[in-house]
Amino acid sequence: MLTITLCTYAFEQIVQWRYGAAGVIALGLVSLGHKVRNTTFTCIGLAALALLLAQ
């Protein structure tokens, strides 16, 4: 369990370093949507991440 937590933290830090606050918000929407099983949040977060990656 500790390994998963550390990997998640490291990934979040990389996203924040590379894409700033918008990347963290998009990642948060994806994780929140997955956690509560809401496809709207997940799709919005994935679309935002895709737009950030396309820059």
Side-chain angles (χ1 to χ4, degrees):
M1 191 63 145
L2 180 62
T3 307
I4 294 171
T5 304
L6 288 174
C7 288
T8 304
Y9 177 75
F11 182 71
E12 184 176 305
Q13 291 300 315
I14 291 170
V15 168
Q16 184 175 8
W17 169 71
R18 176 84 168 116
Y19 301 109
V24 173
I25 292 170
L27 189 62
L29 282 172
V30 171
S31 63
L32 177 69
H34 181 69
K35 186 175 183 178
V36 297
R37 298 181 192 256
N38 187 336
T39 56
T40 304
F41 280 165
T42 305
C43 290
I44 291 171
L46 288 174
L49 281 176
L51 288 173
L52 288 171
L53 288 171
Q55 288 183 351

